[in-house]
């Protein structure tokens, strides 16, 4: 049998493990991936007949061309940044939650209840209640799949996906029925919040950005310097190890997932009370999915998330400028984001693996095998 | 009676794009790849099928183009997840965002070049994609309408599903493919070409999704281009895979059931049964979520996701 094995042809290219890269090499790898992605995106733009350098330049200048544009960019960044922080908690535990979209929506619904029906409360109190309600809403929506996962090992990816759409249609239900704005008989919508229920502005952008920065610091400390954060890392590495170390894995999963959902809920609150000033069906608008991509690109590192979500916000904002200036659809930002991520996650392969070329057939190589055999026998 | 027949016919038509998406996703998950890019692959199929029909005025060319575009999207996914062993969830979501984005960019580009800012398929191809008419059979009462009154997509979908069922259940190769999704290490040890089969299944599955996307623009939307034409059907297809218990034959009737759910709100007498529209729209997802919980609670191995789904296989790790 071993005779046959040795005559088996070695593939031209095979995959082999390598020593893990240092963080610095890993960063360099990402930059190379990013560069390749920009080249690929540039080729795409060139095929459509545009000058890639002009388009890339316009995207960047477009996001910063005026105070208003910068404020717009920050506004796009806020929900993306907050929800990416949220999903990071879940992903650190290898809990494949893709329900950020639904959790954002639930947070917005819970907050909107107080915003719509208790707007006579003093503004600070009302906003605080809305904030807490949003956390509870998002947290509960996230903990549901975690409960089933704990109890019956229900697939959380598929379950959270379903919950996204259930949440979306709950808004539609509220809009068409119980929460419909009676002042608007023709067109079903939910009433605009009164000023009491809206987030105040600081430097021209609603204070969602302040909330985001505070969350950033909290999540960073939580993951890096607390016992909870340590437990999350251990469970992410291996549930068996965590069990062996005496951790109550199920409890920790529930707690972490609740927090993860609660943070996404805050993004919903910030969107409803800061940007939309009402509860709209588009309150999440795909942010929950993009947030997953952001978190992943950033290696689940809060500082990285800050950078990546800022870059994505620039892409988004800049793409709206290229539509008006060059007649190229705003969806260009999605295409570029997609290309970047494809390259970066494919590049992530080289952090742990490498390709090995088949060695050229030389007399030494063929004589090597029997030698080793002989060594073994001796 | 005629009301019921009308309802069933409408349900079948509404379910057809789901049938393609579901079969495509089953092919992916059967080799262990949870591909959340269905929506993206369907979108790519939609723009390719539409533009091919627009330019060539030929239905067969349109279907081929839709298949190739969906397959191209799947190829990217396969390279990233099979060869480069990236995370399936993230790669799939990226494919969806990328696919929808690219579709809208291309659609927008061609709309800008068209004379009056709209694109409508020419008459010849629309006549080819209309409902078929089998002499003698289509005129039969009840049966004619129920079985022989649809557009060609529906028959293509059913044939693909049946062929796939035969492949999985009646051939050695099909059994091997299923083994890859359940236990790739065992399949590898048994000499199954894991990489090759993964690529083949993912790419063909993507192509089938692409045909479903072409349906949404050519039939559902009557051959007039709009952006975001797939409109979330890809996600319903991902749900439907669970409902169909990863079996192609179940996908046939399952997609018609889901199609019925999609159109139910137009057929229920609102004066008698008063349920808000949003609940009808929620129904497919709610039903799927409940099934997911029940199946996991009862631990029905036969109706569960392929065991290795969502994980990458690296020979040296086993």
């Amino acid at each position: 049998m071993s005779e046959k094995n040795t005559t088996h042809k070695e593939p031209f290219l095979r995959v082999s493990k390598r020593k893990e890269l240092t963080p610095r090499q890993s960063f360099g790898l990402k930059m190379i991936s990013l560069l390749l992605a920009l080249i690929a995106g540039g080729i795409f733009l060139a095929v459509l007949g545009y000058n890639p350098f002009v388009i890339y330049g316009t995207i960047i200048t477009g996001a910063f061309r005026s105070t208003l544009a910068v404020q717009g960019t920050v506004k796009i960044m806020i929900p993306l940044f907050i929800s990416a922080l949220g999903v990071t908690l879940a992903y650190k535990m290898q809990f494949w939650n893709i329900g950020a979209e639904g959790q954002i929506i639930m947070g917005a619904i819970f907050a909107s209840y107080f915003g719509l029906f208790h707007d006579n409360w003093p503004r600070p109190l009302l906003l605080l209640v809305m904030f807490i309600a949003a956390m509870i809403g998002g947290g509960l929506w996230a903990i549901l799949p975690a409960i089933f996962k704990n109890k019956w090992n229900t697939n959380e990816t598929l379950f959270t996906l379903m919950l996204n759409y259930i949440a979306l249609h709950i808004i539609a239900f509220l809009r068409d029925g119980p929460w419909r704005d009676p002042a608007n008989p023709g067109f079903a919508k939910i009433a605009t919040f009164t000023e009491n229920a809206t987030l105040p502005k600081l430097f021209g952008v609603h204070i969602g950005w302040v909330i985001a920065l505070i969350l950033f610091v909290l999540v960073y400390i939580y993951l890096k310097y607390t016992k909870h954060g340590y437990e999350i890392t251990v469970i992410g590495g291996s549930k068996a190890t965590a069990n062996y170390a005496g951790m109550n894995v199920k409890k920790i999963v529930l707690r972490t997932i609740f927090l993860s959902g609660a943070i996404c809920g805050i993004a919903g609150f910030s969107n409803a009370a800061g940007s939309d000033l009402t509860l709209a069906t588009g309150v999440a608008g795909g942010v929950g999915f993009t947030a997953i991509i952001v978190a992943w690109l950033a290696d689940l590192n809060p500082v990285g998330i800050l950078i990546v979500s800022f870059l994505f916000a620039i892409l988004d904002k800049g793409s709206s400028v290229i539509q008006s200036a060059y007649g190229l659809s705003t969806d260009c930002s999605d295409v570029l984001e997609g290309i970047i991520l494809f390259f970066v996650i494919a590049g992530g392969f080289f952090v742990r693996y490498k390709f090995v070329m088949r060695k050229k057939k030389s007399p030494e190589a063929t004589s090597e095998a029997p030698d080793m055999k002989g060594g073994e026998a001796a | 009676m005629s009301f019921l027949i009308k309802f069933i016919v409408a349900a079948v038509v509404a379910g057809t794009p789901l049938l393609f998406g579901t079969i495509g996703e089953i092919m992916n998950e059967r080799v262990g790849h949870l591909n959340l890019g269905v929506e993206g692959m369907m979108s790519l199929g939609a723009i390719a099928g539409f533009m091919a029909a627009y330019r060539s005025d030929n239905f067969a060319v349109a279907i081929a183009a839709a298949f190739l575009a969906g397959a191209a999207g799947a190829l990217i996914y396969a390279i990233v997840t099979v060869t480069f062993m990236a995370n399936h969830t993230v790669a799939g979501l990226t494919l969806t965002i990328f696919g929808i984005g690219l579709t809208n960019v291309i659609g927008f580009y061609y709309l800008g070049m068209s004379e009056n800012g709209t694109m409508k398929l020419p008459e010849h191809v629309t006549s080819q994609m209309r409902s078929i008419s089998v002499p003698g059979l289509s005129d039969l009462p009840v049966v004619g309408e129920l079985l022989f009154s649809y557009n060609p997509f529906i028959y293509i979908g059913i044939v693909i599903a049946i062929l796939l069922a035969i492949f999985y259940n009646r051939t050695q190769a099909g059994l091997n493919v299923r083994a890859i999704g359940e236990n790739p290490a065992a399949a590898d040890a048994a000499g199954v070409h894991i990489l090759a089969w993964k690529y083949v299944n993912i790419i063909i599955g993507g192509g089938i999704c692409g045909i479903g996307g072409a349906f949404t623009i050519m039939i559902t939307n009557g051959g007039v281009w709009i952006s975001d034409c797939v409109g979330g059907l890809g996600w319903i297809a991902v749900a439907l895979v669970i409902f169909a218990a990863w079996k192609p034959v179940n996908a046939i009737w399952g997609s018609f059931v889901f199609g019925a759910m999609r159109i139910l709100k137009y057929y229920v007498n609102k004066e008698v049964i008063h349920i808000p529209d949003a609940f009808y729209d929620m129904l497919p997802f709610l039903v799927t979520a409940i099934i997911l919980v029940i199946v996991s609670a009862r631990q029905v191995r036969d109706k569960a996701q392929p065991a290795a789904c969502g994980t990458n296989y690296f020979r040296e790790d086993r």
Side-chain angles (χ1 to χ4, degrees):
Chain A
M1 195 182 126
S2 60
E3 283 303 308
K4 263 196 181 154
N5 271 349
T6 48
T7 55
H8 198 282
K9 211 170 118 199
E10 195 187 338
F12 176 67
L13 212 59
R14 68 181 174 83
V15 175
S16 150
K17 275 210 171 163
R18 70 134 64 121
K19 226 164 100 187
E20 286 222 11
L21 295 180
T22 62
R24 202 177 178 156
Q25 286 172 313
S26 172
F27 180 78
L29 186 69
K30 267 197 182 151
M31 288 300 113
I32 294 171
S33 306
L34 184 66
L35 189 67
L36 289 175
L38 289 178
I39 293 171
I43 294 171
F44 165 70
L45 290 170
V47 167
L48 287 182
Y50 294 92
N51 180 341
F53 296 103
V54 173
I55 299 287
Y56 284 151
T58 312
I59 287 178
I60 294 169
T61 51
F64 297 107
R65 65 188 160 154
S66 63
T67 324
L68 207 65
V70 176
Q71 287 167 353
T73 308
V74 173
K75 222 167 142 181
I76 294 173
M77 181 183 167
I78 296 168
L80 197 57
F81 180 49
I82 297 179
S83 17
L85 287 176
V87 297
T88 297
L89 291 184
Y91 283 166
K92 279 252 174 194
M93 278 187 331
Q94 312 271 340
F95 186 94
W96 300 110
N97 160 28
I98 53 170
E101 193 86 354
Q103 291 143 23
I104 293 171
I105 291 174
M106 270 316 188
I109 291 178
F110 272 51
S112 297
Y113 169 77
F114 293 97
L116 288 169
F117 302 107
H118 295 284
D119 60 339
N120 51 345
W121 292 0
R123 194 176 187 183
L125 173 72
L126 178 60
L127 287 176
L128 183 68
V129 170
M130 286 170 75
F131 180 83
I132 294 169
M135 287 185 74
I136 294 173
L140 288 180
W141 207 241
I143 212 170
L144 204 63
I147 291 172
F148 287 117
K149 168 95 179 172
N150 271 351
K151 197 157 173 61
W152 293 310
N153 202 19
T154 308
N155 185 312
E156 73 275 22
T157 310
L158 301 172
F159 199 61
T160 48
L161 181 65
M162 299 306 123
L163 287 179
N164 287 342
Y165 290 92
I166 295 174
L168 183 65
H169 292 302
I170 290 176
I171 297 194
F173 160 70
L174 293 169
R175 179 198 62 197
D176 295 342
W179 290 9
R180 184 173 175 165
D181 185 3
N184 230 340
F187 172 69
K189 74 181 275 291
I190 292 170
T192 308
F193 293 155
T194 53
E195 207 193 331
N196 250 3
T198 57
L199 286 174
K201 287 185 176 174
L202 188 61
F203 300 128
V205 186
H206 67 84
I207 58 160
W209 68 270
V210 181
I211 299 175
L213 286 181
I214 295 171
L215 277 173
F216 164 66
V217 174
L218 291 179
V219 169
Y220 184 82
I221 294 172
Y222 185 76
L223 285 176
K224 202 154 185 186
Y225 297 110
T226 67
K227 183 173 158 234
H228 286 185
Y230 177 69
E231 287 170 340
I232 292 171
T233 313
V234 174
I235 291 180
S238 154
K239 273 191 183 168
T241 310
N243 260 327
Y244 187 68
M247 293 180 192
N248 185 345
V249 173
K250 287 187 175 178
K251 197 182 114 197
I252 296 168
V253 167
L254 288 183
R255 183 181 69 207
T256 310
I257 295 303
F258 182 87
L259 280 178
S260 162
I263 294 175
C264 293
I266 295 171
F269 160 66
S270 142
N271 261 5
S275 297
D276 304 344
L277 309 184
T278 180
L279 179 62
T281 44
V283 62
V287 166
F289 290 124
T290 314
I292 294 168
I293 292 181
V294 168
W296 202 255
L297 269 178
D299 271 341
L300 307 181
N301 172 346
V303 180
I305 291 171
L306 183 70
I307 298 167
V308 175
S309 55
F310 186 55
L311 290 177
F312 272 35
I314 293 173
L315 258 180
D316 257 23
K317 181 67 192 169
S319 295
S320 63
V321 178
I322 55 169
Q323 171 151 349
S324 48
Y326 299 101
L328 193 59
S329 163
T330 47
D331 291 292
C332 238
S333 60
D334 290 344
V335 177
L336 293 175
E337 280 170 21
I339 294 176
I340 292 172
L341 194 74
F342 279 135
F343 274 92
V344 173
I345 60 177
F349 168 87
F350 295 101
V351 175
R352 281 180 300 134
Y353 304 98
K354 60 183 176 189
F355 284 118
V356 182
M357 294 270 279
R358 180 172 58 199
K359 288 196 193 95
K360 274 195 193 126
K361 278 254 170 355
S362 64
E364 294 145 60
T366 40
S367 64
E368 207 173 297
D371 264 5
M372 274 166 63
K373 276 256 168 70
E376 240 172 40
Chain B
M1 189 67 190
S2 75
F3 178 78
L4 186 66
I5 291 173
K6 228 186 220 143
F7 175 71
I8 294 174
V9 169
V12 169
V13 174
T16 305
L18 296 174
L19 175 59
F20 285 100
T22 308
I23 298 171
E25 179 66 7
I26 287 176
M27 289 191 74
N28 274 269
E29 294 195 23
R30 275 288 174 202
V31 287
H33 282 246
L34 176 65
N35 187 347
L36 296 178
V38 181
E39 181 87 5
M41 296 185 290
M42 286 177 78
S43 293
L44 291 172
I47 183 74
F50 183 87
M51 287 317 299
Y54 190 68
R55 288 285 171 84
S56 73
D57 205 1
N58 182 317
F59 183 72
V61 172
I63 295 293
F67 182 89
L68 289 177
L75 174 64
I76 301 176
Y77 174 86
I79 292 173
V80 170
T81 57
V82 178
T83 302
F84 289 101
M85 294 188 264
N87 180 287
H88 298 187
T89 309
V90 178
L93 286 177
T94 308
L95 180 55
T96 286
I97 291 173
F98 172 78
I100 297 174
L102 185 58
T103 299
N104 288 344
V105 167
I106 296 173
F108 191 86
Y109 179 78
Y110 281 110
L111 273 183
M113 299 208 311
S114 63
E115 281 159 26
N116 46 8
T118 57
M119 285 192 289
K120 191 177 185 331
L121 292 182
E123 185 53 36
H124 178 243
V125 70
T126 22
S127 69
Q128 284 176 328
M129 70 195 195
R130 278 211 197 100
S131 304
I132 57 152
S133 166
V134 186
L137 290 175
S138 293
D139 302 327
L140 290 172
V142 185
V143 179
E145 211 171 330
L146 276 181
L147 299 180
F148 303 104
S149 72
Y150 302 105
N151 60 66
F153 279 98
I154 289 164
Y155 304 102
I156 297 174
I158 292 175
V159 168
I160 293 175
I162 291 172
L163 287 179
L164 195 62
I166 293 171
F167 173 69
Y168 281 150
N169 298 321
R170 294 276 178 272
T171 67
Q172 181 62 43
L175 189 67
N176 290 346
V177 168
R178 281 164 55 201
I180 296 173
E182 299 292 345
N183 189 340
D188 196 8
V192 179
H193 290 282
I194 302 234
L195 287 191
W197 276 115
K198 279 192 168 186
Y199 266 95
V200 166
N201 273 267
I202 292 172
I203 290 172
I204 295 179
I208 294 170
C209 290
I211 300 178
F215 181 96
T216 63
I217 196 70
M218 294 171 77
I219 307 290
T220 317
N221 220 47
V224 180
W225 180 256
I226 51 159
S227 33
D228 291 322
C229 56
V230 180
L233 288 179
W235 293 112
I236 301 186
V238 174
L240 193 47
V241 172
I242 304 160
F243 184 83
W246 290 267
K247 292 183 176 58
V249 171
N250 291 358
I252 300 175
W253 63 264
S255 64
F256 299 153
V257 170
F258 272 44
M261 289 184 202
R262 284 182 66 206
I263 54 152
L264 194 59
K265 64 178 172 190
Y266 306 113
Y267 286 80
V268 171
N269 189 336
K270 292 263 159 55
E271 321 237 297
V272 185
I273 306 168
H274 196 78
I275 303 173
D277 275 0
F279 279 104
Y280 292 104
D281 297 332
M282 193 193 286
L283 212 52
F285 302 107
L286 199 61
V287 169
T288 308
I290 293 169
I291 289 175
L292 200 58
V293 171
I294 293 175
V295 168
S296 62
R298 291 178 54 208
Q299 300 200 311
V300 195
R301 283 287 298 126
D302 188 40
K303 292 194 174 66
Q305 194 178 35
C309 204
T311 57
N312 284 318
Y313 173 65
F314 181 54
R315 185 179 271 177
E316 292 171 24
D317 273 346
R318 66 183 170 183

